[in-house]
Amino acid sequence: MKNPKFAAFFRWLLSLFDVRKWEKKSRVIAVVLLSLFVVATALAFVKPSEQALMDSASEKIRAELQKDETRSRRQVAITYNDLYFINYASFSTAGVKGISEKYVGFAGSVHHADEGAWNVTGQFINYTYRMLGCGQSMLYGAKLTILLTTISIVCGLFIAIFLALGKISKNPLISLPCRAYIFFFRGTPLMIQIFCIYLAVPGIFEGFSWRSLFDSNDPEGVFKGAFVAACIAFVLNSAAYCAEIVRAAVESIDKGQYEAAKALGMSYGQTMSKIIIPQSARRMIPPVCNEFVMMIKDASLVFVIGLMDITTISKTISASGSYLVFIPALVIYLIITAFFTYVFGKIEKKFSVYE
Amino acid sequence: MSMIRTEHVSKKFGHLEVLKDVNLTVENGEVICIIGPSGAGKSTFLRSLNQLEVITGGKIFIENELFLHREHDRTVESIDKEKHKALMLEMGMVFQHFNLFPHKTVLENLMLAPMTVKGLSQAEVEPLARRLLEEVGLSEKADEYPSKLSGGQKQRVAIARALAMQPKIMLFDEPTSALDPELVGEVLNVMKKLAEEGMTMLCVTHEMGFAREVADRVVFMADGIIMEEGKPEEIFTNPQNDRTKQFLQSIL
Amino acid sequence: MKRKIIAMLLAAAMLCVSFVGCGSDDSKKDVSSAAAVQGSVDVSNVKLIKEGTLSVGMEIGYPPFEDKAENGDPIGYDVDLVYALADKMGLEVNIVDTAFDVIFAGIGTNYDCVVSAVTITDERRENCLFSEPYIDSYQAVVVKKGSDIKIESLKDLSGKSVALQDATTSKALLEDMIKTGTVTDCKMGPSEKVLTAFTALDNGEYDVVLCDSPVADTYITNYPDKYELAFLDKENVEQFGVAMAKNDVELQTAVNEAMKQLKEEGFFEENTAKWFA
């Protein structure tokens, strides 16, 4: 730990865990979260087991379940969500109309949830569970949205810095390709870019497929491959948008800063990395945050290549179930957006200490 | 030994000729004040010395070594890059608007260039930086950000920052013009002290009192050429050139 | 000079052709409006969105049922069926191209009925009326040519990655099979168009495509070097029907009557031979 900057960062990280230094508000939130966690853990011990939920099923369902053992296509679908302190189970029969039973287990008791408030509660739990991607594929739902947008904004911003500096450059050999890149990726729809990268790239390179990037025995490989393709498309796209943000921020820095750096003998690279980019960083944050929030919503475009984010999952559920599903979807989006807006606000504050 | 020598330096912005044939020699340890009406090309001349402006034609020598030779907006003689950089570092510059780095503390402002440009370690630079801050009377502000300082304090930090590169020549571009009148004194005092220590200084200034008291030589520039130069008392009490007379009358 | 003349002649020729094209279109319409007088099925009590016109919702992009000709006109098995039905009813045809996942929402507002390779299911029956089935279809599993994947029953989809079209019966079926545990560890990739699913299969992203057998047949016939049929689920037949608004019994009766007549005339054999040859 010789690097003093790293040490400072480490100290800052440690200071985050120093409760005495927290603001009062943060302390209250922490206490609330902690007590919720304790309550949830306590409830988890008295939660109804999967067996208890199965036992509440009616004779009819049990008969169907037994028949299923011998059928070539099973008829009864069991959804069982093992959320920490709430259980939700539903039996429904595929294809055959008529038999459908739902249960919500809460704090030790099992509620029949075919109608009324328990039904709504159960559905909300079940939908939320699916949209968050619990118990499902690694890349489903909220996980996909958060992962995809975070990767694309971080990598995109990194590329964007070079693109922006390239675009400002007086050398046409550098500035023209950068301009062309930005023009292309801002001027074409993201959906088609995703399509091209996912479908056309393997078509051009014979024998290459996105899936082949991963172990062929990996059952998730197909989604991981598609996710990589989607990531590349999103990174390339967000780089173009962020490049314009970076350019505007860099150009807003006073000319005197360049002169002072030059008079002190600093090279172009040193001037940019030590003087200009750190100062423009603060000015970039609000528009980048905006871009990020837009991208959280744009993430639903991955449905064109078979990936499912919150929007796609909620649409799928609503096609076979109820429109109520959109309410938890909205809430999840709001929570994600609120969280990242908060994080960006903190970063902005950190960058503006000198003002 | 002459620290700076310029021969036939000219500078055009499009069709506007800002500098026409400027010839000046600055000896080691000499303090020169450049005075003149606005638009005379004083700042442009100073800025062309360390390449903030690229001259259209003429030669610049630093410590008797050719630093730049351009004719018709083209560099005629190319100079070894390392040597060019080394000569460049002989000059420190102080700006009218300070141009401190707002995202760095005062101490970091001083240490940044020595560490990045000269590749020195923090341990090597910090004692020098602290000593310089003490000299300009701002040791207690080392960990403040520039936004917390007054104009005069900022300019003193800027001087210390330029000195941290240990230059042999200091260029001052109207260092007190952006300051409130009551803050001018503290900056001039620092400059005076620097002059007494034997630093070679080239100042563009409107502070006639300072020029008269500290300068070894006063240069009067107008319309892109040096109209008159000489000892301060000669220029101020007995100017030869009509333009000088006119200028001095208008400001005194 | 000569070139210019040739160019002008060409342009004139093209203009003529396009006019002739329009002309033939007109004549087509004339025929159908003439048929309006002689429509063999009585539609006087049927309420239509547009008087004298059968408006049909269709997702164009599911060959061979619905596809686009080079000039952009809709063609396909369903398109021919729609024109034949309308002819019997003495109506003109207006095809409304609609994405399949929202196609049922537009019945009664955007169009009178949906003819778009719609499988008759109990779930769909809850929300709309269906005509008599007009074609039988099976779930088909398509693999890449030369693939060593063996599918003996739908259960063998376990552990495979399956590409299919969103909002189709194939998807509903696979979802059910995953939910009920009929298949395990199966990765489903729904895409908006069936073409995307087949391209992804060709690129090696997915192991198999699950779709309706007529669609599978078309792709395999058109690209015999790319795809091959791995399995046809003969046990469970699916039937396509015309979907109408839940309360539109009059239209249902009319359509069924028209279908009966077409069946007697041998239209369906002809149409099948035309599109699935």
Side-chain angles (χ1 to χ4, degrees):
Chain A
M1 213 162 294
K2 266 184 181 169
N3 191 334
K5 272 199 184 143
F6 190 75
F9 176 71
F10 194 71
R11 271 202 300 280
W12 176 76
L13 261 187
L14 278 182
S15 74
L16 282 183
F17 293 95
D18 191 351
V19 183
R20 280 164 300 176
K21 282 186 189 162
W22 288 8
E23 286 171 43
K24 201 179 169 195
K25 204 172 75 184
S26 325
R27 246 182 283 174
V28 170
I29 293 173
V31 166
V32 169
L33 283 179
L34 204 69
S35 45
L36 274 177
F37 180 75
V38 169
V39 170
T41 318
L43 285 175
F45 280 104
V46 289
K47 74 175 183 182
S49 65
E50 192 174 345
Q51 193 57 47
L53 289 161
M54 294 279 268
D55 288 346
S56 334
S58 66
E59 282 302 317
K60 227 172 173 182
I61 287 280
R62 275 191 237 180
E64 288 294 324
L65 273 172
Q66 244 169 16
K67 271 192 224 159
D68 259 3
E69 301 294 320
T70 52
R71 281 180 188 148
S72 69
R73 276 193 207 171
R74 287 162 182 259
Q75 293 289 324
V76 186
I78 312 167
T79 325
Y80 179 79
N81 293 342
D82 53 348
L83 277 186
Y84 210 31
F85 61 99
I86 306 168
N87 282 299
Y88 178 83
S90 68
F91 305 104
S92 56
T93 42
V96 183
K97 179 64 201 148
I99 313 168
S100 165
E101 295 184 6
K102 298 188 178 79
Y103 300 94
V104 181
F106 186 77
S109 53
V110 177
H111 302 269
H112 203 266
D114 267 359
E115 56 200 5
W118 285 115
N119 185 19
V120 176
T121 318
Q123 278 180 346
F124 275 2
I125 295 167
N126 206 12
Y127 298 156
T128 313
Y129 186 83
R130 275 180 76 179
M131 278 180 281
L132 290 177
C134 305
Q136 283 198 44
S137 160
M138 261 304 288
L139 293 169
Y140 266 6
K143 274 184 275 185
L144 176 117
T145 303
I146 294 171
L147 213 58
L148 184 68
T149 41
T150 311
I151 290 176
S152 55
I153 217 81
V154 171
C155 301
L157 204 52
F158 184 73
I159 302 174
I161 291 173
F162 295 98
L163 276 176
L165 295 182
K167 189 173 175 182
I168 301 170
S169 166
K170 287 186 183 104
N171 184 347
L173 279 179
I174 299 170
S175 78
L176 275 181
C178 293
R179 267 165 201 280
Y181 177 93
I182 294 170
F183 175 71
F184 178 81
F185 278 93
R186 273 162 45 106
T188 50
L190 178 55
M191 197 177 97
I192 296 179
Q193 291 164 13
I194 298 173
F195 252 133
C196 284
I197 288 173
Y198 183 64
L199 291 179
V201 169
I204 295 165
F205 301 102
E206 201 60 46
F208 171 82
S209 70
W210 293 104
R211 187 190 187 171
S212 63
L213 294 175
F214 296 92
D215 186 5
S216 58
N217 294 323
D218 185 356
E220 297 281 343
V222 57
F223 294 138
K224 284 182 185 166
F227 181 74
V228 169
C231 263
I232 292 174
F234 270 76
V235 166
L236 293 179
N237 187 277
S238 80
Y241 278 93
C242 289
E244 288 296 284
I245 295 173
V246 174
R247 185 181 64 85
V250 165
E251 284 182 343
S252 75
I253 301 295
D254 179 33
K255 227 179 78 201
Q257 294 291 316
Y258 292 92
E259 294 187 345
K262 194 173 177 196
L264 288 168
M266 294 170 79
S267 68
Y268 176 80
Q270 290 165 339
T271 309
M272 282 301 164
S273 62
K274 305 271 178 187
I275 311 289
I276 305 300
I277 301 292
Q279 282 185 57
S280 40
R282 200 197 71 78
R283 301 181 194 191
M284 287 175 210
I285 290 163
V288 165
C289 178
N290 194 31
E291 174 68 24
F292 190 84
V293 170
M294 302 282 280
M295 195 162 279
I296 287 175
K297 292 169 234 164
D298 277 350
S300 62
L301 286 177
V302 294
F303 82 92
V304 294
I305 57 172
L307 292 176
M308 295 219 201
D309 83 318
I310 306 166
T311 304
T312 321
I313 294 178
S314 56
K315 263 163 101 179
T316 315
I317 299 172
S318 80
S320 62
S322 111
Y323 287 100
L324 275 180
V325 59
F326 292 121
I327 296 169
L330 290 177
V331 174
I332 293 175
Y333 270 117
L334 281 180
I335 291 173
I336 296 177
T337 319
F339 174 71
F340 281 105
T341 314
Y342 175 78
V343 169
F344 273 100
K346 280 277 160 197
I347 299 175
E348 189 179 349
K349 225 175 177 182
K350 188 149 173 48
F351 268 109
S352 54
V353 278
Y354 58 81
E355 277 180 1
Chain B
M1 186 180 74
S2 74
M3 292 302 281
I4 302 177
R5 194 169 81 242
T6 68
E7 289 176 4
H8 313 296
V9 165
S10 65
K11 169 77 187 169
K12 279 185 199 167
F13 289 112
H15 291 292
L16 182 69
E17 219 174 350
V18 186
L19 295 178
K20 319 166 192 166
D21 196 26
V22 179
N23 299 291
L24 183 72
T25 309
V26 184
E27 297 298 334
N28 193 2
E30 210 176 9
V31 178
I32 292 184
C33 285
I34 305 175
I35 60 169
S38 68
K42 308 176 302 263
S43 282
T44 311
F45 175 64
L46 202 69
R47 290 158 59 83
S48 14
L49 290 180
N50 69 348
Q51 308 241 291
L52 291 180
E53 305 283 356
V54 182
I55 56 173
T56 323
K59 286 183 189 171
I60 298 174
F61 296 86
I62 308 284
E63 295 184 308
N64 279 337
E65 308 242 25
L66 185 66
F67 179 59
L68 189 67
H69 184 191
R70 285 167 67 82
E71 298 299 339
H72 307 295
D73 220 1
R74 288 226 163 73
T75 306
V76 185
E77 286 173 67
S78 61
I79 287 124
D80 178 55
K81 261 194 181 159
E82 286 302 313
K83 196 171 169 191
H84 188 87
K85 194 181 162 191
L87 289 177
M88 180 104 171
L89 293 181
E90 299 290 317
M91 292 177 280
M93 182 142 185
V94 176
F95 299 87
Q96 182 179 356
H97 294 289
F98 333 125
N99 296 349
L100 291 180
F101 305 134
H103 60 302
K104 302 270 180 198
T105 63
V106 167
L107 193 65
E108 286 168 344
N109 259 281
L110 265 65
M111 298 193 302
L112 181 67
M115 282 167 69
T116 52
V117 179
K118 289 185 176 170
L120 300 175
S121 73
Q122 189 175 351
E124 288 171 285
V125 186
E126 200 171 328
L128 171 72
R130 291 205 182 269
R131 206 190 70 226
L132 286 169
L133 276 182
E134 206 180 313
E135 271 177 36
V136 299
L138 289 170
S139 359
E140 77 282 9
K141 300 281 184 194
D143 295 319
E144 294 278 7
Y145 283 100
S147 58
K148 296 273 171 8
L149 304 181
S150 73
Q153 289 170 331
K154 281 184 193 166
Q155 196 58 297
R156 286 187 286 161
V157 172
I159 294 171
R161 180 179 67 177
L163 289 173
M165 288 297 282
Q166 297 174 301
K168 292 187 180 153
I169 307 157
M170 285 288 282
L171 310 175
F172 291 87
D173 187 6
E174 307 197 20
T176 55
S177 301
L179 297 178
D180 290 338
E182 78 270 19
L183 301 176
V184 169
E186 56 188 75
V187 174
L188 291 183
N189 282 338
V190 169
M191 288 168 67
K192 225 179 274 175
K193 212 164 110 193
L194 205 55
E196 281 159 14
E197 285 166 11
M199 174 66 76
T200 311
M201 286 164 64
L202 200 52
C203 317
V204 171
T205 185
H206 294 297
E207 298 295 330
M208 295 307 151
F210 174 79
R212 186 177 273 204
E213 188 186 341
V214 180
D216 296 313
R217 202 149 39 110
V218 172
V219 173
F220 176 75
M221 271 183 85
D223 302 333
I225 51 170
I226 295 176
M227 291 283 181
E228 192 172 354
E229 55 176 290
K231 297 254 179 234
E233 49 270 37
E234 287 170 22
I235 300 282
F236 287 114
T237 52
N238 186 21
Q240 303 298 314
N241 192 298
D242 286 346
R243 289 295 300 273
T244 322
K245 285 178 198 166
Q246 212 180 337
F247 173 72
L248 288 172
Q249 255 163 23
S250 67
I251 59 160
L252 289 174
Chain C
M1 194 64 200
K2 232 180 191 175
R3 271 197 194 159
K4 253 190 191 167
I5 291 171
I6 293 171
M8 278 167 77
L9 277 174
L10 263 176
M14 274 160 83
L15 265 176
C16 283
V17 169
S18 59
F19 271 123
V20 170
C22 293
S24 62
D25 261 9
D26 287 346
S27 63
K28 225 187 218 167
K29 270 174 199 156
D30 282 347
V31 169
S32 58
S33 58
V37 193
Q38 318 158 345
S40 50
V41 178
D42 179 29
V43 288
S44 53
N45 59 347
V46 177
K47 278 199 200 86
L48 294 166
I49 300 230
K50 196 177 159 217
E51 198 72 23
T53 305
L54 184 66
S55 306
V56 183
M58 197 179 269
E59 190 214 41
I60 298 167
Y62 198 67
F65 289 98
E66 37 275 318
D67 201 356
K68 271 204 168 89
E70 301 277 300
N71 62 1
D73 285 345
I75 53 165
Y77 184 97
D78 281 347
V79 179
D80 283 357
L81 172 66
V82 164
Y83 274 100
L85 286 176
D87 197 34
K88 286 284 170 220
M89 296 192 267
L91 298 171
E92 287 187 34
V93 172
N94 177 27
I95 289 175
V96 185
D97 192 0
T98 310
F100 196 79
D101 54 356
V102 293
I103 207 161
F104 295 105
I107 299 179
T109 50
N110 299 343
Y111 28 76
D112 304 304
C113 61
V114 171
V115 184
S116 192
V118 179
T119 311
I120 303 169
T121 65
D122 289 328
E123 213 173 19
R124 286 174 180 159
R125 250 192 237 280
E126 278 178 40
N127 299 314
C128 47
L129 279 185
F130 277 100
S131 70
E132 293 296 313
Y134 59 82
I135 196 169
D136 291 346
S137 157
Y138 306 93
Q139 286 302 321
V141 180
V142 180
V143 295
K144 208 172 169 176
K145 182 89 185 172
S147 158
D148 50 6
I149 294 171
K150 292 276 168 290
I151 308 280
E152 314 265 273
S153 79
L154 286 182
K155 274 185 179 172
D156 291 344
L157 291 178
S158 292
K160 305 280 183 303
S161 53
V162 184
L164 38 72
Q165 193 190 4
D166 204 11
T168 55
T169 46
S170 308
K171 187 180 168 222
L173 172 70
L174 192 63
E175 262 185 346
D176 274 348
M177 291 203 301
I178 291 172
K179 259 199 265 175
T180 56
T182 310
V183 295
T184 51
D185 212 9
C186 172
K187 300 296 163 197
M188 178 176 71
S191 47
E192 202 194 8
K193 296 262 175 203
V194 77
L195 174 65
T196 315
F198 273 96
T199 314
L201 174 69
D202 183 36
N203 287 345
E205 307 288 354
Y206 286 86
D207 296 325
V208 300
V209 168
L210 183 67
C211 63
D212 293 332
S213 55
V215 179
D217 289 341
T218 314
Y219 274 94
I220 292 165
T221 320
N222 289 348
Y223 305 99
D225 51 333
K226 278 188 181 174
Y227 310 113
E228 64 183 26
L229 189 70
F231 176 67
L232 204 58
D233 187 19
K234 285 275 186 191
E235 273 178 44
N236 298 285
V237 62
E238 283 169 14
Q239 293 175 313
F240 290 175
V242 180
M244 286 149 290
K246 184 100 188 178
N247 51 7
D248 204 351
V249 188
E250 293 85 4
L251 183 61
Q252 190 193 28
T253 321
V255 169
N256 279 344
E257 178 57 31
M259 267 193 194
K260 202 174 139 200
Q261 291 183 15
L262 287 175
K263 212 168 260 174
E264 281 159 11
E265 289 165 18
F267 166 82
F268 287 102
E269 284 81 7
E270 241 173 68
N271 207 21
T272 309
K274 177 177 170 192
W275 292 103
F276 298 116

